């Protein structure tokens, strides 16, 4: 049996998704809980590798018990996991999939959300869950960010928005939408694409914030993409504001 889980977690106290020796990771915690639940070793495979401090609203992973007789009804799994997982991670939903289903390679769209607290005053209840950005960005700045975001949409070589030193040679990705909204003093930047490069969303955010505060003209974003020069794009926004929001399969 192969189960596909939808998982939410607060990444503040995790060293990312993937197993790391002597470090607390999401994969390790889910694997430990799965082994207890199914009373056998389980293979746990994620849809992506989230960095340390990154959060998830709808992460997807598969759980495959080694013992083929270890079967639990999928609709009972969220509640069953709740007694085995710590409070900063939850299984929201579960379903059965084919044995050859891979949660990473079957993905057609991923959506990330980035949250920016645009305030000079810290919010003690959002520490580690948003990026506090004190430079004021008014409504005109938000509109400039929206215009700039349109240049990001479409199929492009996103080398300029990839972490320096990355070994990826094919940097072409298709961004399906890039949206900027403000609710109160929080700016939400949502980006959906068929795939992402390392730090791509966080560099997009850093660049859009430069546009928002008037240091970069919106049309410069298109020029930066064409340049394929990482040094022309903005800084890499910190991991604390990033959320994997949704993963869509065929």
């Amino acid at each position: 049996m192969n189960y596909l889980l939808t998982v939410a977690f607060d990444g503040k106290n995790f060293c990312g998704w993937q197993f790391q020796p002597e470090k607390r990771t999401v994969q390790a915690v889910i694997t430990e809980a799965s082994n207890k639940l199914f009373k056998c070793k389980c293979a746990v495979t994620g849809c992506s590798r989230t960095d340390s401090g990154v959060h998830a609203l709808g992460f997807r992973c598969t759980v495959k018990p080694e013992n083929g007789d270890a079967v639990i009804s999928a609709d009972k799994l969220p509640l069953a996991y709740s007694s085995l997982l710590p409070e900063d991670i939850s299984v929201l939903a579960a379903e059965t999939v084919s044995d050859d289903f891979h949660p990473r390679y079957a993905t057609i769209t991923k959506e990330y959300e980035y949250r920016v607290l645009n305030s000079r005053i810290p919010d003690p209840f959002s520490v580690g869950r948003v990026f506090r950005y004190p430079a004021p960005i008014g409504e005109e700045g938000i509109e400039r960010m929206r215009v700039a975001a349109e240049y990001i949409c479409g199929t492009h070589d996103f080398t300029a928005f990839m972490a320096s030193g990355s070994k990826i040679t094919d940097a072409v990705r298709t961004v399906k939408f890039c949206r900027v909204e403000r609710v109160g003093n929080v700016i939400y930047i949502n980006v959906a694409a068929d795939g992402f490069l390392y730090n791509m969303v966080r560099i997009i955010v850093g660049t859009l914030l430069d546009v928002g505060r008037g240091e970069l003209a919106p049309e410069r974003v298109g020029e930066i993409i064409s340049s394929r020069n990482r040094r022309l794009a903005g800084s890499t926004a910190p991991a604390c504001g990033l959320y994997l929001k949704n993963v869509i399969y065929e």
Side-chain angles (χ1 to χ4, degrees):
M1 189 67 72
N2 196 19
Y3 298 93
L4 177 64
L5 308 183
T6 302
V7 180
F9 57 83
D10 178 347
K12 184 167 56 174
N13 295 317
F14 285 104
C15 296
W17 161 262
Q18 192 171 10
F19 280 121
Q20 296 184 57
E22 300 181 1
K23 290 187 177 181
R24 186 175 188 255
T25 68
V26 180
Q27 188 178 29
V29 169
I30 293 179
T31 299
E32 181 181 2
S34 299
N35 292 347
K36 291 179 181 178
L37 181 60
F38 290 96
K39 296 181 173 59
C40 66
K41 289 186 177 181
C42 297
V44 177
T45 306
C47 64
S48 67
R49 298 178 180 180
T50 58
D51 289 339
S52 178
V54 173
H55 316 287
L57 304 172
F59 191 92
R60 311 297 286 275
C61 67
T62 53
V63 174
K64 185 182 292 187
E66 284 188 359
N67 181 359
D69 295 328
V71 177
I72 300 175
S73 177
D75 62 334
K76 295 181 179 179
L77 287 180
L79 185 58
Y81 270 108
S82 67
S83 63
L84 298 170
L85 290 170
E87 291 186 342
D88 52 1
I89 180 170
S90 294
V91 173
L92 305 179
E95 59 187 290
T96 57
V97 291
S98 63
D99 285 343
D100 61 352
F101 179 89
H102 195 290
R104 180 180 177 186
Y105 300 128
T107 301
I108 59 172
T109 303
K110 288 179 185 175
E111 180 183 354
Y112 282 92
E113 178 173 280
Y114 197 95
R115 300 177 182 180
V116 179
L117 176 64
N118 188 213
S119 172
R120 295 176 61 188
I121 308 300
D123 175 8
F125 300 105
S126 65
V127 174
R129 297 184 178 91
V130 298
F131 170 37
R132 187 172 70 86
Y133 190 76
I137 297 179
E139 283 307 310
E140 289 185 2
I142 295 296
E143 188 55 38
R144 286 195 300 269
M145 292 171 69
R146 290 181 180 136
V147 172
E150 289 299 317
Y151 288 95
I152 295 168
C153 299
T155 302
H156 309 287
D157 183 324
F158 282 98
T159 298
F161 291 86
M162 178 173 65
S164 299
S166 178
K167 296 180 180 179
I168 294 175
T169 56
D170 180 10
V172 175
R173 299 292 186 273
T174 299
V175 172
K176 301 184 178 182
F177 63 75
C178 182
R179 299 168 180 160
V180 180
E181 298 295 334
R182 184 182 186 117
V183 179
N185 59 359
V186 179
I187 301 170
Y188 296 88
I189 299 171
N190 286 269
V191 187
D194 60 356
F196 290 90
L197 304 167
Y198 186 51
N199 283 351
M200 178 173 162
V201 176
R202 291 162 61 185
I203 296 170
I204 287 174
V205 170
T207 305
L208 291 180
L209 289 174
D210 286 347
V211 173
R213 70 171 187 264
E215 291 198 2
L216 198 67
E219 59 270 18
R220 278 287 293 151
V221 173
E223 297 171 6
I224 291 169
I225 293 173
S226 298
S227 75
R228 296 186 291 178
N229 187 342
R230 170 66 187 93
R231 289 176 294 180
L232 297 181
S235 60
T236 304
C240 61
L242 185 61
Y243 294 73
L244 177 57
K245 186 175 183 179
N246 195 16
V247 181
I248 299 173
Y249 298 108
E250 193 105 29

